[in-house]
Amino acid sequence: MSVIDAQGETHRDQSSAAYNQLLERLGALSDLNSALALLEWDQETKMPEEGASSRSTAYATLSSIAHDLHTSKETLGLLEAAEREQAGADPDSDQAALLREARLDFESSTKLPADFIAEYARIQAGAQRVWVKARSGSNFDLFKPDLERIFAMARRKAEYLGYEEHPYDALLNEFEPGITTALLRGILADLKDRLVPLLAKIKKSRVVIEDKILRKTYSEDKQLAFCKELLEKMGVDSGRSRLDAAAHAFTAPISSPFDVRVTTRCIRDYLNSGVFGSIHEGGHALFELGVDRKFARTPLAQIKSMGLHESQSLLWENMIGRSREFWTYQFPLLQQRFPNQLLHERLETFYCAINKVNSSCIRLEADEVTYCLHIILRFELEVDLIEGTIKVADLPRFWNDRFEAMFGVRPSSDAEGVLQDVHWSGGAIGYFPAYDLGKIISAQLLAQAKIEIPNLMDSIASGNYAPLREWLATNVHQYGRKYSTAQLVRRITGREITCDDFISYLEEKYGELYSLSL
Amino acid sequence: MSVIDAQGETHRDQSSAAYNQLLERLGALSDLNSALALLEWDQETKMPEEGASSRSTAYATLSSIAHDLHTSKETLGLLEAAEREQAGADPDSDQAALLREARLDFESSTKLPADFIAEYARIQAGAQRVWVKARSGSNFDLFKPDLERIFAMARRKAEYLGYEEHPYDALLNEFEPGITTALLRGILADLKDRLVPLLAKIKKSRVVIEDKILRKTYSEDKQLAFCKELLEKMGVDSGRSRLDAAAHAFTAPISSPFDVRVTTRCIRDYLNSGVFGSIHEGGHALFELGVDRKFARTPLAQIKSMGLHESQSLLWENMIGRSREFWTYQFPLLQQRFPNQLLHERLETFYCAINKVNSSCIRLEADEVTYCLHIILRFELEVDLIEGTIKVADLPRFWNDRFEAMFGVRPSSDAEGVLQDVHWSGGAIGYFPAYDLGKIISAQLLAQAKIEIPNLMDSIASGNYAPLREWLATNVHQYGRKYSTAQLVRRITGREITCDDFISYLEEKYGELYSLSL
């Protein structure tokens, strides 16, 4: 049996010869992915403008080299030999998990024929161009033919990928391995049934929350300096990470867990973007930085579950970062950074502002309460379209009807409705549910953490994030991709994925904020 | 025939099918090298500290993939097919030049057997560890066995690479293609004969130059801001370049001519390092940025001549950047940046300080006059060692004797003498002469530029660097690697490489600075 030590080095013995050869091959693949991640990070943060065209060529070349290496006969041969060699391994061992994941990666890289991939890419490129125009003119008819092609391709993709129960399962599994449409339907229907009445009560509340405190003038440089301190405090190790400004917030796992970088977008007259973007990406980074070092350069360090990843970022951004306790400690520090803007403001004003509920038709403007409803709408429509229960031509009507039923308002145009998201034109059918899974799981994990860590929120209020970070590292981060999301939730909480904790969290928090009788 | 357009795209026709296939392969290789350059740049500028180990693994993997791609049978097949197809091409055409250089690259990548490369790498790694110890203890005997192995390997390397006249030619050609030991001997002997008396006169001069103006306290941030402005003014296009602080100054050709980055090392109490490091690297960057866009992603955009590259950096750093005219314009700007330090200082004090001649035993502390002598010493010793005329065991004696004959002082220890450079332990035998070739050629080019550009130094004095930059772009930069260094010098100046202009330049400048009678 081979042992992977803390440096990610493998100590070889005869009984693991094939396994070790596979590890070498997967390590080389991981190195190529590391270079690709750097090419991408650099492009968004440091690259001179005119480097763009040659950068995209270099990116395409390395991607193609990585794809060829991954899907080659030699890789398959090494995989099969390792599988034979390790056939008797304990299914819960690292070796068994690694082979399982390597096999899944290989399958998902080889199931789609090259000409299908090329055709889909061409259709997506066309669709994205048309979508930009269609959205700006709020003209759904212009986008309709492209969207029809996209969903037709998505259905074909599902057939190539294969599924047991529902074609949408195959699309979901690209972003959330192991989850099924049936399972999600149950969870999200439950969530919807409980969120819609909560939202209705909030809308009826006489409490009016002002958020102009967030819309004063805050210098971007000072915001970034504050965010750096905040991440440091969260435990995002500056010896293995860095924060940069970029046009959008993202996490770049250059080489997990040794080099994981985050970005944020600071906006001069809107404090939320930079601050909560940083905390969100900090949550992602803590996950990547927390993966056991022995998994470095293996598939087990490449986290595939978007829902689990989002659970980490959302736990920090919303459940911690938007809590009264968090700002009890951080607000005085923010006031020190921005005395002219904040010295005479109250913590409570700030706390209410960052938790204001609105019923915007736009997903990207949504809050903690409404965000999930935006996603449920998209999930239901995607499933119906894949099933063929509804037609693309009827989308605007279904979108607006269902939105109105949940939110009590109707989008004034398709630009504010069915045309608002980039996902469909990009072919990312099946991606949306990960956002809701992330919210649900974050609440379920935090509820468990509160049971296991005495006075957790008191430590947050005193600026001590170590107990929570360590709990997450021990229970979630260290395993990387070893367990499926559902398995992990079960291991940690003893329960299946459920929205109970998320609803309780929302009812408690927003019940108080909006003086609701629940 | 194929045509490469401004985007570096090739328009194909039947008669260039093989050539175009080769271009595609070389383009992919260039993309890998671009990723490698980024991995390296990032490591020196932005990478979190603990990313080092995984970075070096990723670098090794990509290097090995690039090497395999380059030396594969398929590449050779494409090269041979393209050579057959283009056999009748005009030898002065881009196609012929590209095939010539691609063939040279292929040969130099395949001539050394893999086990020899591995053995040499192992010996170098050992030698570098021992050299660090030997230098710190000034103990040549400790280093001697390693140095003997290094020179034995260098002789073997010369045999593998092949040469017509002298084994040292083979080593030289790694860094300066087309140059011969015989040619260099002539040029450098001439240079030495004229430099030694000049240095003797300077040492006897009663003029004493003070350089304490350079050693005040200058904030690194402000230095960097000044250097950024300076590079912008030089014409280092900020849309295709950037300047960052790093532990040493270097130029990273990420993707010439679209993305070329420079670094500099600002030192708080020594202005020269940051400022002249920036100008030096700016000269390198202008070369890479000036290569014709049609050569992008081909060997013709990968400049191999170290001497020619250094001629560009040294021309800007020394002949322009250390001229009175340059600081006539720039000194007031520097004063504005550092009013406390410089407002009451005179331009002349600054000009003298940056041109102070010292006779340090250490190459890295040398000035414009003495630097070449340091190199000549090393060149002569390397040639003698490769010929076997002298033995490694006798090196310290020869080093000190010859140094004393040129400088009039004797190194007080081997740490200040034969043990001072990193090059030999790194196996870079044959590299040193490029520095002197750079100095000589820079003077020869500037002399020609002064003939062709009316009032060149007046335009420098008014902060207008465009005429010089454009002259260099037209005469040198655009061609990338199309011509050999000797060819290019001949094309531009109508003369062979000669140190006449360099000596005239030094005599005029230092004659005035040190009130010499020459």
Side-chain angles (χ1 to χ4, degrees):
Chain A
M1 196 48 54
S2 106
V3 181
I4 317 179
D5 76 10
Q7 306 310 310
E9 296 285 337
T10 48
H11 301 291
R12 287 137 205 229
D13 61 38
Q14 289 302 340
S15 66
S16 297
Y19 180 79
N20 286 325
Q21 273 191 295
L22 176 69
L23 277 189
E24 261 177 46
R25 167 68 59 130
L26 297 177
L29 196 62
S30 156
D31 292 337
L32 277 164
N33 286 327
S34 177
L36 283 162
L38 184 66
L39 290 170
E40 215 171 350
W41 172 83
D42 178 73
Q43 178 171 330
E44 302 294 331
T45 55
K46 307 293 173 192
M47 187 183 75
E49 214 176 321
E50 291 194 47
S53 163
S54 54
R55 175 58 49 88
S56 76
T57 310
Y59 192 89
T61 297
L62 263 77
S63 296
S64 145
I65 290 172
H67 182 79
D68 291 350
L69 186 72
H70 191 188
T71 59
S72 67
K73 275 184 199 158
E74 291 77 18
T75 302
L76 179 60
L78 292 169
L79 180 59
E80 286 171 344
E83 284 169 340
R84 279 193 302 274
E85 181 187 81
Q86 304 289 326
D90 174 2
D92 198 46
S93 68
D94 293 346
Q95 281 77 3
L98 191 144
L99 288 175
R100 212 158 46 223
E101 297 303 317
R103 168 58 72 176
L104 280 175
D105 284 352
F106 183 83
E107 300 294 343
S108 88
S109 291
T110 50
K111 274 184 175 168
L112 300 179
D115 54 356
F116 174 81
I117 294 174
E119 190 186 347
Y120 204 4
R122 207 176 49 247
I123 288 173
Q124 282 165 32
Q128 291 214 295
R129 275 194 301 274
V130 173
W131 167 70
V132 170
K133 272 194 207 165
R135 187 176 65 161
S136 80
S138 194
N139 181 351
F140 180 77
D141 286 343
L142 184 64
F143 185 45
K144 190 172 73 92
D146 286 272
L147 194 54
E148 280 167 345
R149 276 191 287 271
I150 291 277
F151 272 94
M153 290 301 280
R155 271 190 299 270
R156 282 179 59 197
K157 185 177 170 183
E159 297 306 321
Y160 282 126
L161 293 174
Y163 52 87
E164 286 182 19
E165 292 172 14
H166 195 290
Y168 192 73
D169 290 355
L171 304 175
L172 270 179
N173 278 228
E174 293 277 284
F175 310 106
E176 195 52 62
I179 214 83
T180 63
T181 310
L183 186 66
L184 257 182
R185 265 187 170 144
I187 297 169
L188 295 185
D190 188 16
L191 182 59
K192 184 171 152 185
D193 287 347
R194 296 155 82 177
L195 269 183
V196 171
L198 177 63
L199 177 60
K201 281 185 186 166
I202 291 172
K203 291 185 72 172
K204 275 187 215 142
S205 163
R206 286 198 211 147
V207 176
V208 176
I209 291 179
E210 267 297 346
D211 65 355
K212 60 176 190 257
I213 187 175
L214 305 171
R215 298 176 188 277
K216 301 182 176 192
T217 303
Y218 299 95
S219 112
E220 288 97 331
D221 285 352
K222 281 192 191 170
Q223 284 191 50
L224 201 65
F226 175 77
C227 293
K228 275 185 188 171
E229 255 186 35
L230 210 161
L231 288 177
E232 189 81 28
K233 194 88 190 159
M234 271 172 71
V236 178
D237 177 359
S238 64
R240 296 184 288 143
S241 186
R242 55 178 293 138
L243 170 67
D244 291 271
H248 65 285
F250 67 97
T251 297
I254 307 287
S255 179
S256 303
F258 303 109
D259 180 356
V260 179
R261 309 180 187 183
V262 294
T263 69
T264 195
R265 181 184 176 206
C266 295
I267 301 178
R268 210 169 172 75
D269 55 1
Y270 189 46
L271 204 53
N272 276 15
S273 172
V275 170
F276 292 100
S278 296
I279 305 176
H280 183 98
E281 302 308 325
H284 282 306
L286 284 176
F287 193 174
E288 299 279 341
L289 291 167
V291 172
D292 198 320
R293 291 174 178 223
K294 70 182 175 184
F295 293 154
R297 293 180 82 235
T298 80
L300 296 184
Q302 294 146 23
I303 299 143
K304 286 287 162 88
S305 162
M306 289 298 108
L308 192 61
H309 230 313
E310 284 293 313
S311 81
Q312 299 307 296
S313 51
L314 291 167
L315 190 153
W316 284 100
E317 179 196 347
N318 289 336
M319 312 198 68
I320 301 300
R322 283 189 159 87
S323 70
R324 190 176 273 118
E325 291 86 349
F326 186 81
W327 291 102
T328 300
Y329 181 83
Q330 292 289 347
F331 190 66
L333 299 175
L334 191 66
Q335 284 177 309
Q336 279 172 32
R337 289 268 176 195
F338 297 103
N340 295 336
Q341 296 86 336
L342 295 178
L343 209 57
H344 302 291
E345 296 279 5
R346 292 170 51 235
L347 164 62
E348 202 56 24
T349 312
F350 185 79
Y351 171 67
C352 290
I354 60 174
N355 288 295
K356 180 184 162 117
V357 174
N358 62 57
S359 293
S360 168
C361 297
I362 306 290
R363 176 180 58 86
L364 288 173
E365 294 171 0
D367 50 80
E368 267 191 290
V369 176
T370 56
Y371 195 94
C372 286
L373 294 174
H374 285 274
I375 297 303
I376 291 170
L377 170 67
R378 287 152 178 81
F379 163 71
E380 291 178 353
L381 290 171
E382 283 187 352
V383 174
D384 290 348
L385 284 163
I386 291 293
E387 281 180 352
T389 321
I390 65 172
K391 302 228 168 311
V392 167
D394 299 323
L395 257 185
R397 182 166 53 87
F398 281 112
W399 181 289
N400 293 341
D401 288 351
R402 294 183 188 182
F403 187 88
E404 193 174 0
M406 291 193 290
F407 285 77
V409 287
R410 199 173 176 89
S412 63
S413 71
D414 286 340
E416 290 213 326
V418 68
L419 289 173
Q420 70 182 268
D421 299 309
V422 71
H423 297 64
W424 286 346
S425 64
I429 319 292
Y431 189 97
F432 282 122
Y435 295 122
D436 274 8
L437 276 175
K439 302 232 175 206
I440 291 167
I441 295 167
S442 70
Q444 208 170 339
L445 292 177
L446 189 64
Q448 189 66 28
K450 283 180 177 171
I451 295 169
E452 296 182 21
I453 307 170
N455 310 316
L456 170 55
M457 294 311 286
D458 292 345
S459 85
I460 299 293
S462 65
N464 178 15
Y465 311 130
L468 176 60
R469 184 184 65 249
E470 282 159 18
W471 187 88
L472 290 168
T474 305
N475 289 282
V476 181
H477 303 169
Q478 65 159 320
Y479 298 114
R481 185 179 156 190
K482 184 171 175 182
Y483 300 111
S484 79
T485 303
Q487 265 181 313
L488 201 64
V489 169
R490 215 176 292 130
R491 275 175 67 99
I492 299 169
T493 69
R495 293 177 296 157
E496 299 299 323
I497 298 171
T498 160
C499 64
D500 290 351
D501 295 316
F502 183 54
I503 289 291
S504 303
Y505 159 78
L506 290 180
E507 287 180 346
E508 191 184 327
K509 180 171 176 180
Y510 291 88
E512 190 226 320
L513 270 162
Y514 283 90
S515 306
L516 308 180
S517 53
L518 295 165
Chain B
M1 195 50 50
S2 106
V3 180
I4 316 178
D5 76 10
Q7 306 309 310
E9 297 285 336
T10 49
H11 302 291
R12 288 136 204 230
D13 61 40
Q14 289 301 340
S15 66
S16 299
Y19 180 80
N20 286 325
Q21 271 192 297
L22 176 69
L23 277 190
E24 261 177 46
R25 168 68 56 130
L26 297 177
L29 196 60
S30 157
D31 292 336
L32 278 164
N33 286 327
S34 177
L36 283 162
L38 184 68
L39 289 170
E40 215 171 350
W41 172 84
D42 179 74
Q43 179 171 328
E44 302 294 331
T45 55
K46 307 293 173 194
M47 188 183 73
E49 213 176 320
E50 291 194 48
S53 164
S54 54
R55 175 58 48 89
S56 75
T57 310
Y59 192 90
T61 297
L62 263 76
S63 297
S64 145
I65 289 172
H67 182 78
D68 290 350
L69 186 72
H70 191 189
T71 60
S72 67
K73 276 185 200 157
E74 290 77 19
T75 302
L76 179 59
L78 291 170
L79 180 59
E80 287 171 342
E83 284 168 340
R84 279 194 301 275
E85 180 186 81
Q86 305 289 325
D90 173 3
D92 199 47
S93 67
D94 292 346
Q95 281 79 2
L98 190 144
L99 289 175
R100 213 159 47 224
E101 296 303 316
R103 168 59 71 176
L104 280 174
D105 284 352
F106 182 82
E107 300 294 342
S108 89
S109 291
T110 50
K111 274 184 175 167
L112 300 178
D115 55 355
F116 174 82
I117 293 175
E119 192 188 348
Y120 203 5
R122 209 177 48 248
I123 288 173
Q124 283 165 29
Q128 291 215 294
R129 275 193 301 274
V130 173
W131 167 72
V132 170
K133 272 193 206 167
R135 187 176 65 160
S136 80
S138 196
N139 180 353
F140 180 77
D141 286 343
L142 185 63
F143 186 44
K144 188 171 73 90
D146 286 272
L147 194 53
E148 281 167 345
R149 276 190 286 272
I150 291 277
F151 271 94
M153 290 300 281
R155 273 191 298 271
R156 283 179 59 195
K157 184 177 169 182
E159 298 305 323
Y160 281 126
L161 293 175
Y163 51 87
E164 284 181 23
E165 292 172 15
H166 196 289
Y168 192 72
D169 291 354
L171 304 175
L172 270 179
N173 279 226
E174 294 275 284
F175 310 107
E176 195 52 62
I179 213 85
T180 64
T181 310
L183 185 67
L184 257 183
R185 265 188 171 143
I187 297 170
L188 295 185
D190 188 17
L191 182 60
K192 183 173 153 185
D193 287 348
R194 297 155 82 177
L195 270 183
V196 170
L198 177 65
L199 177 60
K201 282 185 186 166
I202 291 171
K203 290 186 72 172
K204 275 189 214 140
S205 161
R206 286 198 209 146
V207 175
V208 176
I209 291 178
E210 267 296 347
D211 65 353
K212 60 176 189 258
I213 186 175
L214 305 172
R215 297 173 190 280
K216 301 183 175 191
T217 302
Y218 299 95
S219 113
E220 287 97 332
D221 285 352
K222 280 191 191 170
Q223 284 190 52
L224 200 65
F226 176 77
C227 293
K228 276 187 187 172
E229 256 186 33
L230 210 160
L231 288 176
E232 189 82 28
K233 193 90 191 156
M234 272 172 71
V236 178
D237 177 0
S238 63
R240 295 184 290 142
S241 186
R242 53 178 293 136
L243 170 69
D244 290 272
H248 64 285
F250 67 96
T251 298
I254 307 287
S255 180
S256 302
F258 303 110
D259 180 356
V260 179
R261 310 179 188 184
V262 295
T263 69
T264 196
R265 182 185 175 207
C266 295
I267 300 178
R268 210 171 171 72
D269 56 1
Y270 188 46
L271 204 52
N272 276 14
S273 173
V275 171
F276 292 101
S278 295
I279 305 176
H280 183 97
E281 302 308 326
H284 281 306
L286 284 177
F287 194 174
E288 299 278 343
L289 291 168
V291 172
D292 198 322
R293 290 174 179 224
K294 71 183 175 185
F295 293 155
R297 294 180 81 237
T298 79
L300 296 184
Q302 294 146 23
I303 299 142
K304 286 287 162 85
S305 162
M306 290 297 109
L308 191 62
H309 229 313
E310 284 293 313
S311 80
Q312 299 307 296
S313 53
L314 292 167
L315 190 154
W316 284 100
E317 180 196 347
N318 289 338
M319 312 197 68
I320 300 300
R322 284 189 159 85
S323 69
R324 191 178 272 118
E325 290 86 351
F326 186 80
W327 291 101
T328 300
Y329 181 84
Q330 292 289 347
F331 190 66
L333 298 176
L334 191 65
Q335 285 177 308
Q336 279 172 30
R337 289 267 176 195
F338 297 104
N340 295 335
Q341 296 87 335
L342 295 178
L343 210 57
H344 301 292
E345 296 280 6
R346 291 171 51 234
L347 164 62
E348 202 56 23
T349 312
F350 185 78
Y351 172 67
C352 291
I354 60 174
N355 287 295
K356 180 184 160 114
V357 174
N358 62 59
S359 292
S360 168
C361 298
I362 306 290
R363 176 179 59 85
L364 287 174
E365 294 172 1
D367 49 79
E368 266 191 291
V369 177
T370 55
Y371 195 94
C372 285
L373 293 174
H374 285 274
I375 297 304
I376 291 170
L377 170 67
R378 288 152 178 80
F379 164 70
E380 291 178 354
L381 290 171
E382 284 187 353
V383 173
D384 289 350
L385 284 163
I386 290 295
E387 280 180 352
T389 321
I390 66 173
K391 301 230 168 311
V392 167
D394 300 323
L395 255 186
R397 183 166 52 84
F398 281 111
W399 180 290
N400 294 340
D401 288 351
R402 294 183 187 182
F403 187 87
E404 193 174 0
M406 293 193 289
F407 286 76
V409 287
R410 199 173 175 88
S412 63
S413 71
D414 287 340
E416 289 212 327
V418 68
L419 289 173
Q420 70 181 269
D421 300 309
V422 70
H423 298 62
W424 286 346
S425 63
I429 318 292
Y431 188 97
F432 283 122
Y435 296 122
D436 274 9
L437 275 175
K439 302 231 176 209
I440 290 167
I441 295 168
S442 70
Q444 207 170 339
L445 291 177
L446 190 64
Q448 188 65 28
K450 282 179 177 170
I451 294 169
E452 296 182 20
I453 306 170
N455 310 316
L456 170 55
M457 295 311 286
D458 292 345
S459 85
I460 300 292
S462 65
N464 178 15
Y465 311 130
L468 176 60
R469 185 184 65 248
E470 282 159 18
W471 187 89
L472 290 168
T474 305
N475 288 282
V476 180
H477 303 168
Q478 65 159 320
Y479 298 115
R481 186 179 157 192
K482 184 170 175 181
Y483 300 110
S484 80
T485 303
Q487 266 181 309
L488 201 64
V489 170
R490 215 176 293 129
R491 275 176 68 99
I492 299 169
T493 68
R495 294 177 297 156
E496 299 299 323
I497 298 171
T498 161
C499 65
D500 290 351
D501 295 316
F502 184 53
I503 289 292
S504 303
Y505 159 78
L506 290 180
E507 286 180 347
E508 190 183 329
K509 178 169 177 180
Y510 291 89
E512 190 226 320
L513 270 162
Y514 283 92
S515 306
L516 308 181
S517 53
L518 295 165

